């Protein structure tokens, strides 16, 4: 499944709308329904109105009826890993367990893995997590 997610994130990245930053990001997640949902960043001339790739993938997951993230992959356009921003860390945490894997990849195939809990210790949740 991880290879499928990596491929989906890289493919979504190609569709990113990033005319301002030129920083095209893709994300793909495996949901609790077994399906893969993906998204890309979508920038806007009114800067705060843009959307990150992770948020796009999560929104698609929810719109299709799934409710939890089993794992997520984020594709960077450069050799530097693209970790989720603070807002996306919280958005991911809303639908994932602290132990959920978060994998960052580069175009050259390098990767690093962490967890939601490591990225967002003491994040806001509906119920407290141990």
């Amino acid at each position: 499944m991880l290879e499928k997610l990596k491929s989906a994130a890289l493919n979504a990245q190609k569709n990113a709308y990033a005319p301002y930053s030129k920083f095209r990001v893709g994300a793909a997640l495996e949901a609790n329904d077994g399906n893969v949902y993906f998204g890309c960043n979508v920038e806007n001339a009114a800067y705060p109105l843009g959307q990150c790739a992770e948020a796009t993938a999560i929104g698609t997951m929810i719109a299709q009826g799934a409710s939890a993230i089993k794992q997520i992959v984020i594709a960077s356009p450069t050799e530097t890993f693209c970790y989720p921003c603070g807002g996306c860390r919280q958005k991911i945490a809303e639908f994932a367990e602290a132990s959920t894997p978060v994998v960052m990849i580069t175009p050259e195939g390098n990767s690093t893995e962490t967890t939601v809990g490591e990225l967002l210790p003491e994040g806001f949740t509906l119920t407290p997590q141990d």
Side-chain angles (χ1 to χ4, degrees):
M1 177 58 81
L2 184 56
E3 290 307 312
K4 186 175 181 178
L5 290 173
K6 288 179 179 181
S7 178
L10 289 167
N11 283 331
Q13 181 181 44
K14 294 174 188 174
N15 295 322
Y17 179 73
Y20 307 102
S21 72
K22 310 290 190 240
F23 196 81
R24 301 164 71 88
V25 179
L29 61 87
E30 176 187 5
N32 61 322
D33 65 358
N35 289 319
V36 172
Y37 299 97
F38 52 88
C40 58
N41 58 316
V42 180
E43 295 179 348
N44 190 286
Y47 178 70
L49 298 180
Q51 185 161 298
C52 296
E54 301 92 327
T56 303
I58 291 168
T60 302
M61 174 190 79
I62 296 301
Q64 296 298 317
S67 60
I69 300 169
K70 291 175 69 176
Q71 61 181 322
I72 187 167
V73 172
I74 303 156
S76 173
T78 68
E79 251 321 282
T80 302
F81 295 119
C82 182
Y83 285 80
C85 70
C88 283
R89 291 176 193 212
Q90 182 60 52
K91 289 172 186 163
I92 294 166
E94 182 73 15
F95 301 101
E97 299 293 327
S99 61
T100 299
V102 180
V103 179
M104 280 67 59
I105 62 172
T106 67
E108 287 74 22
N110 295 319
S111 67
T112 188
E113 183 176 321
T114 188
T115 66
V116 172
E118 290 170 335
L119 286 174
L120 189 67
E122 306 302 325
F124 294 102
T125 60
L126 185 60
T127 57
Q129 295 182 0
D130 293 326

